[in-house]
């Protein structure tokens, strides 16, 4: 993080040394928050941070601290909220925040600033001198604003819920109606450009539809799901050659993406497409799920098992260059028939849709079944040629939270697609995390260059615990159940708020100007929501009342936030739904050989309120689970909430019980 010939800014990490430097020198802090795949972060770095005159000004006037928002989401959450409160506008990256040297409260906030005046924005050098002058002359005003900001931050997310309020499905139905109002009837998705996938929203609608079956089926909710998934899969948001999804679309039509690929987006979308295939049987969804899983395993999994974070949008300093094509390139690489079919399939017969007369591929035409082998051969050749291009940068840090999402996604896809290799990839990631990032009952958040660092956050514990619960439904390891319990116990011991819910940072975390307790979904699901779902799952499986109580208090603490913005709290709405409709727990006990015949029964349906475990007869089990004892022949136990059926001894009986 120090200066170099390329970047003459004297960058420091956020640590005790840098903060002491600010206090001792009396210089304000210039905090720059970004991440490796952030296009405008790179632009600002090239324009300003690599400029000698600008860097000299930064070094003279400020203590300069650079933070990766993926490694320090605690700082990012605090100062993004501060920026929004200061400006009334949403933030983003790069986030540029000027802080007082002693208490780290904001003096001024912004995002991208150009080196010279343009876009109606001041030059960055003008911002630097103006902020420093304001800091020197308006100390009392800044201090008063800081006190007001901290009070506002405290009001953001420390609500406690009504312990006696009646819980109902009304917020789910309210969210569904709000989503219908913002639904894009023509192109799918919600809202206008830029358009994001919003996987937690899609999952919510799929669950709402499923709950309505057999009564008055909410076909409208299902249509919003399927139309969105169809349009995303056939558009440019999806990598038609390599699999996997880009971050978002710059247009309504899902045609041209911002080309960065994030592990967390692909984990959530892999889960969505796998669940949609289980719910509808649509072959498109199975293909997209399989190709996305294959991309993750091929391009994003480390040799030791963990998953990398991102692929950049840029290669050779141009956004999207790695992904786009010309008709001449198709002709040079493919046979005449392959080129003809591939051009029609991927939109090269239409006018160029990208810069410099290039084409970004999308599913333009359905290929007749007879020509499918021709397109498959063309796709293989095109992908092989693309592999030889200059690749986008890959951020090879491994984040526990995002790995937890991908572990759960691969486990779910493994069951739906009958792909044991996906569960094996997920298992390798679990073993890596346990070996390198888990010690003395606590997690580290990130791993890179052979070193685990930074104390784990709420999302790390919650997402990993949830991923383990999904993986246990693919294949049983008692050690994974024990690991999941340890993670949840650590959450309760170090993150719980006595008023309900969980803080984003632990009780022994570095003291910052605010301690967030986030409830809403963001680019990743709400950590509070995922924690509540995981606690409910293991609470019912093991008969742990303290887990069930903690889940309910989390949902109750979030009720006021949910009422204000229900569609932004899809994960907590899932937890609310689990409270109202306790999950069906299915446990099959038999030898490993016998379980192979029962597992497809457990995997065949989309059942959002069901947890299914095929457990070898010789496994030692804790708590209530130990009562699901093996017999001399296979036996299945089916319980809903606190009510259990008589044990079932045949696959036909189990199939009937599961509907």
């Amino acid at each position: 993080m120090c200066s170099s010939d390329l970047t003459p800014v004297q960058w420091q990490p956020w640590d005790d040394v840098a903060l002491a430097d600010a206090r001792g020198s009396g210089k304000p802090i210039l905090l720059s928050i970004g991440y490796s795949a952030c296009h405008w972060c790179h632009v600002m770095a090239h324009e300003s941070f690599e400029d000698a005159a600008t860097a000299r000004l930064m070094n003279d006037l400020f203590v300069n601290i650079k933070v990766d928002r993926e490694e320090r989401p605690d700082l990012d959450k605090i100062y993004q909220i501060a920026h929004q409160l200061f400006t009334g506008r949403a933030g983003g990256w790069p986030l540029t925040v000027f802080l007082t040297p002693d208490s780290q409260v904001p003096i001024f906030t912004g995002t991208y600033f150009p080196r010279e005046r343009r876009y109606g924005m001041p030059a960055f050098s003008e911002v630097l001198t103006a902020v420093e002058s304001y800091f020197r002359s308006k100390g009392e005003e800044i201090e008063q604003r800081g006190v007001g900001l901290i009070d506002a931050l405290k009001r953001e997310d420390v609500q406690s819920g009504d312990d006696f309020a009646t819980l109902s499905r009304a917020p789910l139905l309210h969210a569904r109606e709000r989503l219908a109002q913002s639904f894009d009837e023509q192109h799918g998705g919600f809202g206008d450009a830029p358009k994001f996938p919003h996987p937690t929203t899609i999952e919510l609608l799929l669950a709402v539809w499923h709950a309505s079956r057999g009564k008055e089926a909410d076909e409208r909710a299902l249509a919003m799901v399927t139309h969105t998934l169809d349009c995303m899969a056939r558009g440019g948001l999806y990598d038609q050659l390599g699999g996997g999804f880009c971050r978002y679309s710059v247009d309504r039509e899902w045609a041209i993406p911002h080309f960065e690929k994030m592990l967390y987006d692909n984990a959530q979308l892999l889960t969505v497409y796998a669940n949609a295939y289980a719910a509808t049987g649509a072959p498109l969804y199975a293909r997209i799920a399989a190709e996305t899983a294959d991309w993750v395993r091929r391009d994003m999994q480390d040799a030791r098992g963990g998953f990398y974070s991102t692929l950049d949008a840029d290669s050779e300093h141009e956004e999207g260059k790695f992904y786009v094509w010309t008709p001449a390139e198709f002709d040079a690489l493919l046979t005449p028939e392959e080129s003809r079919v591939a051009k029609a399939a991927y939109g090269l017969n239409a006018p160029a849709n990208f810069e410099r007369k290039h084409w970004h591929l999308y599913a333009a035409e359905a290929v007749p079944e007879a020509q499918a082998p021709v397109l498959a051969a063309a796709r293989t050749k095109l992908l092989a040629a693309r592999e030889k291009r200059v690749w986008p940068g890959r951020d090879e840090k491994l984040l526990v939270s995002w790995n937890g999402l991908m572990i759960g996604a691969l486990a779910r896809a493994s069951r739906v697609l009958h792909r044991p290799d996906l569960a094996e990839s997920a298992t390798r990631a679990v073993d890596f995390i346990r070996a390198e990032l888990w010690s003395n009952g606590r997690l580290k958040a990130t791993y890179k260059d052979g070193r685990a660092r930074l104390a784990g956050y709420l999302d790390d514990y919650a997402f990993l615990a949830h991923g383990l619960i999904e993986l246990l439904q693919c294949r049983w390891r008692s050690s994974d159940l024990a690991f999941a319990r340890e993670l949840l116990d650590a959450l309760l011991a170090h993150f719980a708020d006595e008023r309900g819910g969980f803080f984003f940072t632990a009780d022994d975390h570095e003291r910052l100007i605010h301690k967030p307790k986030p409830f809403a979904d963001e680019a990743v699901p709400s950590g509070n929501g995922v924690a509540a779902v995981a606690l409910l799952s293991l609470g019912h499986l093991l008969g742990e009342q303290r887990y069930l109580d903690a889940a309910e208090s989390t949902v109750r603490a979030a009720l006021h936030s949910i009422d204000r913005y229900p569609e932004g709290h899809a994960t907590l709405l899932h937890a609310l739904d689990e409270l109202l409709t306790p999950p069906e727990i299915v446990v099959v006990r038999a030898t490993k050989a016998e379980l192979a015949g029962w597992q497809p029964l457990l995997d065949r349906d989309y059942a959002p309120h069901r947890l299914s475990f095929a457990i070898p007869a010789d496994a030692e089990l804790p708590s209530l689970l130990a009562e699901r004892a093996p017999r001399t022949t296979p036996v299945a136990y089916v319980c809903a909430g606190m009510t259990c059926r008589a044990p079932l001894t045949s696959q036909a009986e189990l199939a009937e019980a599961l509907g």
Side-chain angles (χ1 to χ4, degrees), residues 127-148:
V127 174
L128 296 173
T129 54
V131 169
E132 202 275 340
S133 175
Y134 175 60
F135 169 71
R136 297 297 172 196
S137 62
K138 300 289 185 179
E140 186 175 336
E141 180 179 315
I142 291 168
E143 184 178 341
Q144 290 174 349
R145 288 183 68 195
V147 170

Side-chain angles (χ1 to χ4, degrees), residues 19 70 99 113 136 154 166 230 251 263 265 279 301 315 325 348 357 370 373 397 441 446 453 477 482 559 568 599 655:
L19 298 180
E70 296 165 359
L99 307 174
F113 292 104
R136 297 297 172 196
K154 287 178 179 177
T166 300
D230 291 349
D251 52 66
L263 186 70
D265 285 319
Q301 189 162 28
S315 57
W325 296 86
L348 273 72
K357 295 185 178 180
K397 69 174 178 290
T446 183
R453 50 191 296 268
R477 289 198 312 186
L559 286 177
Q599 187 74 48

Side-chain angles (χ1 to χ4, degrees), residues 246-296:
C246 296
R247 178 74 190 96
Y248 63 86
S249 174
V250 301
D251 52 66
R252 277 185 61 199
E253 295 81 12
W254 307 107
I256 302 299
H258 183 44
F259 286 89
E260 62 187 344
K261 281 182 167 182
M262 315 297 291
L263 186 70
Y264 61 78
D265 285 319
N266 284 279
Q268 294 176 85
L269 288 167
L270 172 55
T271 302
V272 167
Y273 277 91
N275 282 334
Y277 173 60
T280 67
L284 173 65
Y285 303 155
R287 176 173 69 81
I288 297 300
E291 291 173 0
T292 299
D294 289 340
W295 166 73
V296 169

Side-chain angles (χ1 to χ4, degrees), residues 119-232:
Y119 313 131
M121 303 173 69
F124 190 47
S125 59
E126 295 174 326
V127 174
L128 296 173
T129 54
V131 169
E132 202 275 340
S133 175
Y134 175 60
F135 169 71
R136 297 297 172 196
S137 62
K138 300 289 185 179
E140 186 175 336
E141 180 179 315
I142 291 168
E143 184 178 341
Q144 290 174 349
R145 288 183 68 195
V147 170
L149 172 67
I150 291 172
D151 288 342
L153 287 170
K154 287 178 179 177
R155 291 193 297 271
E156 277 291 303
D157 47 25
V158 296
Q159 309 98 322
S160 56
D162 183 348
D163 291 340
F164 303 101
T166 300
L167 300 179
S168 76
R169 298 187 82 249
L172 283 87
L173 301 179
H174 188 199
R176 179 249 183 264
E177 293 307 315
R178 294 272 288 266
L179 290 168
Q181 293 168 14
S182 64
F183 181 65
D184 184 337
E185 300 284 354
Q186 186 175 3
H187 302 291
F190 303 90
D192 209 335
K195 189 175 282 185
F196 290 81
H198 297 298
T200 56
T201 293
I202 300 171
E203 285 280 11
L204 174 67
L205 289 171
L206 192 61
V208 166
W209 163 77
H210 185 271
S212 73
R213 294 186 315 162
K215 309 168 190 174
E216 278 189 39
D218 189 349
E219 299 298 339
R220 168 74 168 149
L222 181 62
M224 286 190 276
V225 170
T226 56
H227 187 49
T228 299
L229 294 181
D230 291 349
C231 291
M232 289 196 302

Side-chain angles (χ1 to χ4, degrees), residues 5-65:
D5 292 337
L6 183 62
T7 306
V9 178
Q10 294 170 357
W11 291 116
Q12 299 185 62
W14 181 286
D15 60 15
D16 291 341
V17 173
L19 298 180
D21 184 9
R23 288 192 297 270
S25 66
K27 292 181 180 180
I29 295 167
L30 193 168
L31 174 64
S32 178
I33 302 178
Y35 61 104
S36 71
C38 166
H39 173 73
W40 288 102
C41 300
H42 294 302
V43 171
M44 189 168 176
H46 176 66
E47 289 181 345
S48 294
F49 303 157
E50 294 171 16
D51 176 67
T54 304
R56 189 178 309 115
L57 201 57
M58 292 170 65
N59 294 335
D60 288 345
L61 300 181
F62 300 95
V63 171
N64 301 293
I65 296 179

